[in-house]
Amino acid sequence: MKIAATIIEDSSVTCDRCRASCCRLEVMLISETGVPEKYIQRDEWGGGVMARLEDGWCAALDRDTMLCTIYENRPFICGDFAAGSYECLEEHEPR
Ligand code: SF4
Ligand code: SF4
């Protein structure tokens, strides 16, 4: 699961030099941010996570740029997952 993180451990790490590896983690939707329904996978109780494709990457990721296509409406957890944080460094894959 992609979890919230805010403490920066390595400020030299940036998303534009990463293969968006954290976008293969499960992203729970814990608040409404305007994510288009086509990118949401819902369970029988209405709870939602970001849909992922067969290779595991989030359905909202642009595969050419490896950038988020819904950046302004990305889930709260994605916005709080800071580059260079401990959790980021666990996933980070330079490209
Ligand atoms: S793993 Fe870290 S550097 Fe890579 S996209 Fe996610 S937050 Fe950015
Ligand atoms: S919504 Fe955007 S930032 Fe969040 S996992 Fe998907 S592509 Fe990555």
Side-chain angles (χ1 to χ4, degrees), residues 2 22-23 25 27 50 58-61 67-70 74-75 78:
K2 186 171 185 171
C22 64
C23 298
L25 300 174
V27 176
M50 288 302 296
C58 176
L61 184 69
L67 297 174
C68 180
T69 60
I70 57 165
R74 68 196 186 287
C78 298

Side-chain angles (χ1 to χ4, degrees), residues 2 13-15 18-23 81-84 88-89 91-93:
K2 186 171 185 171
V13 173
T14 58
C15 298
C18 175
R19 293 187 71 235
S21 15
C22 64
C23 298
F81 196 92
C88 158
L89 298 178
E91 303 298 329
H92 177 246
E93 287 178 45

Side-chain angles (χ1 to χ4, degrees), residues 2 4 27-37 40 42 46-50 70 72-80:
K2 186 171 185 171
V27 176
M28 288 180 65
L29 303 178
I30 55 176
S31 59
E32 174 57 45
T33 60
V35 174
E37 201 61 32
I40 299 176
R42 293 201 181 275
V49 296
M50 288 302 296
I70 57 165
E72 296 299 326
N73 298 97
R74 68 196 186 287
F76 173 80
I77 288 175
C78 298
D80 208 37

